[in-house]
Amino acid sequence: MVLDTFLAADATPIELFFDLFFVANLSTFTASNDINSLEALWSYVCFLGIIWFTWLQVTLFDIRFARDSVFERVCKAVQLATMVGFASAGSGFATRVLPENLWIFHSLTLLLAISRLMLTLEYFIASVYLPSDTAFNLRCVTLFMFLNSLIYIALYFLFNDRAASIGSQIWILWWFQFAAETFVVMVKADELPGIGFEDTHLNVRMGLLTLIIIGDGIISVTRIVNRTVGNGWTRWSFVHIFGVTISVYLLWQSYFDITPTEKLGKLRQKIWTCLHFPLHAVLILLSEGMQILALTLDVSLKLKSLRDIILSACGVTRPSASDAVDSINKAITGFGIDFTHGAMEEKYAIQGLLWDLRHQARLCPSEMESGSLNIERSHDIMGNVTVALFSSMGITPPDGHTTAKRSDHLLTMYLRMFGFVFLYYFIVAALAMFMFAAFIFLVNHDPTKRVLRIGATGTRVVAGFSLLSIIALVSNFDLAYKYMTNPIILFTVALALLICLLSDQLWHALAFYYAGFEAESGNDIELDAIPTNT
């Protein structure tokens, strides 16, 4: 068989089908896990690593050797089944091995072993059809995959009730295996003449997966719509949703404007491929962060309106006690809270508080007499409504559902959670800028584009550090709170992306001018001197 017959020009339907299983798996994990603490964040990234590196190994085989056949379809069915298995175990994944979650780690390590055993078989079959000198290198990969699968099986027995004595995070060994198998496959690819990665559609596969992951951010938009406009659109709900939508769109444009259109060379191709894992993690975390921030803005506006109504009940122009309670009840009802999402206790508490207010002799306190709508009871109403609003939107503190009633306690608890979201959101936004800068540096290796490469890379690095500097606001509570409850927070990342995209046009013009200047001065750049294998 000629080596060129292995190469495909574009992604096949079964490859795209496998990509959809990956994203469906990720969406399932996202729906059942909130990123509201550092431990939850690491759990998210670690589970993403499990399915991402499995996807990568399958992809690195498919783009070079897979051909439509009964055998290939059976193998792909097994790989799809492993993705389904990952989804079943992912909902309870945590960063520590505990007696109650042993079955999760047992399941995951067996699924990883099955996936690698299937790749072992596929690599062996592919080596049969290759010339003897090339087949030897491929059989080295086959042997390594087989040994790696045995290690996954061995880890099954290390995940036991005594795992804590060995180390509750012993599953980190998986990451060393991910790195080792990726290294071996990529290094051996250089020793396989004619079927290295630079002659495959790896760029297309990575681009399509990135497109699907960015598109998954649209799901965040639909979730926000479902949770915030149940009673109709408002000016601010439109602003919040537009902020998330424009951010997702600019992320898409920022990536696909810098995708490679020509061969990258062996080394740069490998670096470009591996950098997609942190990029995909960053894009997913950005999407989740935008969703939480948008929902928080909606809740803060509702709480402000409720606070104003409570204050007006005992203001200068006081309504009757009955009218005041009716106004409070109408406002809470207008929020469209779905109390069935873990807020039934708060519903009964709110009903009890309003009933007491309605049947008290005096509503508003004065200097001479006490009233039923005092500061403590106002706090109780605000506190219960706060918990109910966040619970109905699927946002809960990391310690689970709270039974606190005072709004000062609740405010501290929720602000701590949103402070964490605020920090990680702008950190990953900065990392996204740094990733885009690295991609520009790798892709634009043509000497005629030196000005573009330096300028566009520098712009994104500056934008990244600018976004990173925003986290300094946490040192000033008042300023941070105003910023977190202002819609501008949703447009900050979009503005940074837009500035980078617009500046690219300037760098393109300068690069064109510089190339013309070099040509006129007789200092033509020798394009033949560009290295193609680095």
Side-chain angles (χ1 to χ4, degrees):
M1 178 178 292
V2 182
L3 295 181
D4 290 343
T5 60
F6 278 114
L7 304 181
D10 207 347
T12 62
I14 196 169
E15 290 176 344
L16 298 178
F17 191 53
F18 185 67
D19 293 350
L20 292 177
F21 264 73
F22 170 90
V23 177
N25 197 326
L26 184 63
S27 298
T28 301
F29 183 78
T30 301
S32 58
N33 293 270
D34 296 324
I35 306 176
N36 51 20
S37 66
L38 186 60
E39 183 175 357
L41 175 64
W42 286 124
S43 297
Y44 204 100
V45 174
C46 292
F47 183 77
L48 173 64
I50 293 172
I51 60 176
W52 193 90
F53 281 101
T54 299
W55 174 89
L56 178 65
Q57 291 305 320
V58 174
T59 298
L60 294 181
F61 175 86
D62 287 348
I63 59 176
R64 295 178 295 162
F65 305 109
R67 286 296 174 268
D68 191 17
S69 64
V70 174
F71 171 75
E72 179 60 28
R73 293 191 180 191
V74 171
C75 292
K76 195 61 64 184
V78 174
Q79 296 291 3
L80 293 174
T82 61
M83 282 292 179
V84 174
F86 288 145
S88 66
S91 59
F93 181 78
T95 56
R96 297 182 182 275
V97 181
L98 302 172
E100 57 267 24
N101 63 11
L102 276 178
W103 72 272
I104 294 175
F105 290 93
H106 284 159
S107 301
L108 290 175
T109 198
L110 286 179
L111 289 168
L112 288 169
I114 292 171
S115 174
R116 273 45 175 195
L117 283 172
M118 186 55 59
L119 284 171
T120 299
L121 178 60
E122 290 182 283
Y123 272 116
F124 177 76
I125 297 299
S127 68
V128 172
Y129 294 96
L130 292 175
S132 57
D133 55 340
T134 305
F136 173 78
N137 289 313
L138 197 59
R139 283 169 186 164
C140 290
V141 176
T142 303
L143 177 61
F144 181 84
M145 280 292 176
F146 178 71
L147 294 176
N148 211 28
S149 63
L150 294 181
I151 296 175
Y152 285 120
I153 295 174
L155 286 175
Y156 176 90
F157 299 99
L158 290 179
F159 296 135
N160 51 47
D161 294 334
R162 298 184 300 276
S165 61
I166 304 174
S168 60
Q169 296 180 330
I170 192 173
W171 57 269
I172 292 177
L173 290 174
W174 287 340
W175 285 83
F176 290 99
Q177 292 179 261
F178 297 156
E181 62 191 16
T182 302
F183 176 79
V184 169
V185 171
M186 287 190 168
V187 168
K188 284 298 179 181
D190 292 339
E191 302 175 11
L192 300 176
I195 48 176
F197 298 124
E198 66 274 8
D199 294 320
T200 65
H201 58 285
L202 178 58
N203 294 353
V204 175
R205 289 297 304 277
M206 279 295 178
L208 289 173
L209 183 64
T210 306
L211 176 63
I212 296 174
I213 288 176
I214 294 176
D216 191 55
I218 303 300
I219 298 178
S220 298
V221 178
T222 59
R223 289 174 184 164
I224 297 171
V225 172
N226 290 334
R227 295 175 183 178
T228 61
V229 298
N231 294 327
W233 286 83
T234 65
R235 176 184 61 181
W236 290 115
S237 63
F238 172 80
V239 171
H240 299 162
I241 293 170
F242 178 74
V244 176
T245 304
I246 195 66
S247 297
V248 173
Y249 171 76
L250 290 175
L251 281 172
W252 166 80
Q253 188 169 344
S254 296
Y255 174 80
F256 283 96
D257 275 2
I258 58 176
T259 51
T261 56
E262 55 188 19
K263 293 183 180 180
L264 292 176
K266 293 181 179 180
L267 179 59
R268 286 185 290 130
Q269 176 76 72
K270 294 178 179 64
I271 296 174
W272 182 86
T273 300
C274 293
L275 282 178
H276 274 76
F277 172 68
L279 175 68
H280 290 165
V282 161
L283 292 177
I284 294 168
L285 293 174
L286 268 177
S287 175
E288 291 301 304
M290 283 188 287
Q291 177 181 325
I292 294 176
L293 291 176
L295 294 175
T296 301
L297 286 172
D298 183 75
V299 170
S300 67
L301 289 174
K302 291 176 179 177
L303 291 176
K304 286 178 181 177
S305 66
L306 178 61
R307 180 199 61 190
D308 293 340
I309 291 173
I310 293 175
L311 292 176
S312 66
C314 295
V316 178
T317 57
R318 300 180 181 180
S320 65
S322 178
D323 290 342
V325 175
D326 287 341
S327 297
I328 296 173
N329 183 59
K330 182 179 179 181
I332 297 173
T333 304
F335 293 159
I337 302 174
D338 187 353
F339 292 98
T340 59
H341 288 179
M344 293 304 297
E345 183 178 349
E346 283 69 32
K347 176 182 179 180
Y348 298 138
I350 293 169
Q351 290 175 343
L353 288 167
L354 295 180
W355 189 91
D356 288 341
L357 290 177
R358 194 180 297 276
H359 292 84
Q360 293 293 328
R362 184 179 180 84
L363 181 67
C364 298
S366 64
E367 295 181 358
M368 304 298 296
E369 298 181 70
S370 61
S372 57
L373 190 59
N374 51 31
I375 294 178
E376 183 177 356
R377 189 154 296 180
S378 299
H379 284 171
D380 289 343
I381 295 174
M382 291 291 294
N384 282 282
V385 173
T386 299
V387 175
L389 279 170
F390 282 117
S391 296
S392 67
M393 294 185 178
I395 303 175
T396 55
D399 295 332
H401 188 71
T402 177
T403 57
K405 298 296 186 292
R406 288 186 58 86
S407 62
D408 52 352
H409 298 160
L410 290 165
L411 182 62
T412 301
M413 181 174 52
Y414 277 103
L415 281 179
R416 187 182 299 114
M417 181 182 69
F418 294 126
F420 168 77
V421 175
F422 177 83
L423 288 174
Y424 100 71
Y425 176 74
F426 283 103
I427 289 174
V428 297
L431 290 176
M433 289 297 180
F434 297 148
M435 291 292 102
F436 290 146
F439 285 152
I440 288 177
F441 190 81
L442 289 170
V443 171
N444 295 289
H445 214 256
D446 189 335
T448 61
K449 298 179 180 179
R450 183 166 58 248
V451 173
L452 171 64
R453 180 177 59 173
I454 296 174
T457 300
T459 302
R460 283 159 177 79
V461 170
V462 171
F465 280 112
S466 299
L467 291 172
L468 202 59
S469 66
I470 293 177
I471 65 177
L473 290 176
V474 297
S475 60
N476 187 319
F477 175 81
D478 292 336
L479 189 59
Y481 181 76
K482 290 179 181 179
Y483 182 62
M484 290 174 63
T485 55
N486 192 300
I488 192 63
I489 193 173
L490 294 176
F491 292 89
T492 304
V493 175
L495 180 61
L497 292 170
L498 182 61
I499 290 174
C500 290
L501 291 172
L502 292 177
S503 67
D504 286 348
Q505 304 305 313
L506 172 63
W507 299 121
H508 273 292
L510 289 177
F512 181 79
Y513 172 79
Y514 176 76
F517 177 78
E518 289 289 322
E520 290 179 1
S521 61
N523 297 325
D524 293 342
I525 299 174
E526 295 291 338
L527 297 182
D528 294 336
I530 302 174
T532 58
N533 294 323
T534 59

